[in-house]
Amino acid sequence: MSRNLLILGAAPDLGELRDTLVRLEDTIIFALIERSQFKHNSDIYKAGKMHFKDGYRGSFVSWFLKEVEHVHSKVRRYNSPDEYPFTDNLPEPVLPPLEYPPVLVDPQNININDEIFNVYVNTVVPGITSDGDDKNYGSSATRDIECLQALSRRIHYGKFVAESKFQDPKTHDEYVRLIKEKNRDRLMELLTNTRVEELLLKRLKAKAIIYGQDLSTASLDANGNINSGCSLLATTASADASDERVKSRVNYDLVVSLYRDYVIPLTKEVEIEYLLHRLD
């Protein structure tokens, strides 16, 4: 069973953080699979396409997200240092506040959810869905919110990663020097671990291939076990070695590119911004 890293009272080490980030990979992949079952339904992302009796003028997804976050705010979701809302001016909690040990410096000051929202709506959704409109607006928006919240949590975990790296005795003095110099480029070099990123992308591709397969087409033996020749088992070993297309409920190359082109760079952006304010 994993530990609650938010109540430790000190920055968790990178090993514990990686365990959390690996579990978030699963959450994100399954959320993308769930969203991909519906058409693009582009109207839900366009302001003015739906008329709200409360006078709201944004898109259906933005309205839905705002309403969900209002409820979540009332039950203290955004009191947690690893949760960040997309909506401004949220109501205060109706429950007594939870006290978290002060692990992060100014934990709520850095929020890049606007960037995450734009990437998701303009790049991710068109990539994982088929063109068209199936009128499943509520279901699509529900899945969108699950994806957005998971991506936001994953990316803003960069603050905990940055704090853990900052506290490492091996590199602490170097971080302090670079922060004082405001040396973004050198900070980026110091916090980047290319080998870890390469392994992450390989693991993501394997997961997306396996999780995305339709098991209703799996070949079963008389005892209900998956036959050894089934593509589910075959692709486990060949996910990194073959470019052969495997029928999947989600575009696994898009999952990889999402992390490579957006999740990893945005996480590093959060880490850099956090570190530059670490000594304030």
Side-chain angles (χ1 to χ4, degrees):
M1 181 179 294
S2 62
R3 291 198 295 169
N4 185 345
L5 302 184
L6 304 181
I7 63 174
L8 297 180
D13 63 43
L14 288 178
E16 291 175 316
L17 285 169
R18 287 191 182 115
D19 288 343
T20 298
L21 299 181
V22 167
R23 290 194 301 275
L24 279 170
E25 292 169 10
D26 299 345
T27 300
I28 291 169
I29 291 172
F30 282 118
L32 294 173
I33 290 172
E34 286 296 302
R35 176 59 183 92
S36 69
Q37 67 183 300
F38 304 110
K39 300 280 190 180
H40 186 179
N41 295 327
S42 60
D43 281 356
I44 67 176
Y45 308 106
K46 298 175 182 176
K49 276 291 184 180
M50 297 188 184
H51 302 286
F52 300 92
K53 292 183 179 180
D54 61 3
Y56 186 76
R57 297 181 179 276
S59 70
F60 178 67
V61 165
S62 296
W63 178 86
F64 203 156
L65 180 58
K66 172 177 68 73
E67 294 297 314
V68 167
E69 291 195 330
H70 270 68
V71 174
H72 289 182
S73 179
K74 289 181 178 181
V75 292
R76 305 181 296 199
R77 177 170 188 162
Y78 304 111
N79 281 21
S80 176
D82 65 338
E83 295 284 0
Y84 295 83
F86 289 80
T87 307
D88 296 326
N89 302 317
L90 291 172
E92 292 296 318
V94 297
L95 300 173
L98 295 173
E99 298 296 333
Y100 292 96
V103 174
L104 300 178
V105 177
D106 254 350
Q108 297 295 330
N109 191 44
I110 301 165
N111 184 330
I112 63 168
N113 276 341
D114 285 346
E115 292 181 65
I116 295 170
F117 186 90
N118 288 333
V119 167
Y120 178 78
V121 170
N122 297 317
T123 301
V124 177
V125 175
I128 63 174
T129 60
S130 55
D131 292 336
D133 189 318
D134 58 17
K135 305 301 181 184
N136 284 304
Y137 295 160
S139 297
S140 298
T142 299
R143 303 310 179 202
D144 286 331
I145 292 170
E146 292 170 356
C147 290
L148 286 165
Q149 290 176 332
L151 287 167
S152 174
R153 187 163 181 255
R154 166 60 178 83
I155 289 168
H156 287 103
Y157 244 95
K159 296 182 184 183
F160 289 94
V161 175
E163 181 65 26
S164 179
K165 292 176 179 178
F166 178 82
Q167 296 285 357
D168 187 342
K170 298 176 184 176
T171 54
H172 176 74
D173 291 344
E174 180 73 356
Y175 273 113
V176 170
R177 182 180 67 82
L178 295 174
I179 290 168
K180 289 180 176 179
E181 295 174 358
K182 304 292 184 183
N183 192 332
R184 287 177 172 268
D185 292 341
R186 184 69 187 95
L187 280 170
M188 181 65 76
E189 292 176 9
L190 187 59
L191 62 81
T192 297
N193 188 327
T194 303
R195 177 59 178 162
V196 169
E197 292 177 9
E198 291 173 349
L199 291 174
L200 182 156
L201 295 177
K202 291 179 180 179
R203 182 174 65 245
L204 272 172
K205 183 173 182 178
K207 284 183 176 182
I209 290 174
I210 295 168
Y211 297 168
Q213 290 198 67
D214 183 358
L215 294 184
S216 65
T217 63
S219 176
L220 305 178
D221 62 22
N223 296 319
N225 299 313
I226 299 176
N227 288 326
S228 59
C230 177
S231 62
L232 174 66
L233 301 179
T235 53
T236 305
S238 63
D240 184 53
S242 172
D243 287 330
E244 182 181 355
R245 298 290 89 186
V246 178
K247 185 178 180 181
S248 176
R249 294 177 293 169
V250 68
N251 184 332
Y252 49 85
D253 285 334
L254 184 137
V255 174
V256 173
S257 66
L258 168 63
Y259 261 74
R260 183 188 63 238
D261 300 336
Y262 299 106
V263 172
I264 293 174
L266 288 175
T267 302
K268 289 182 180 180
E269 180 181 328
V270 168
E271 291 183 49
I272 293 291
E273 290 302 319
Y274 178 83
L275 288 169
L276 287 174
H277 293 88
R278 180 60 178 78
L279 302 179
D280 289 354

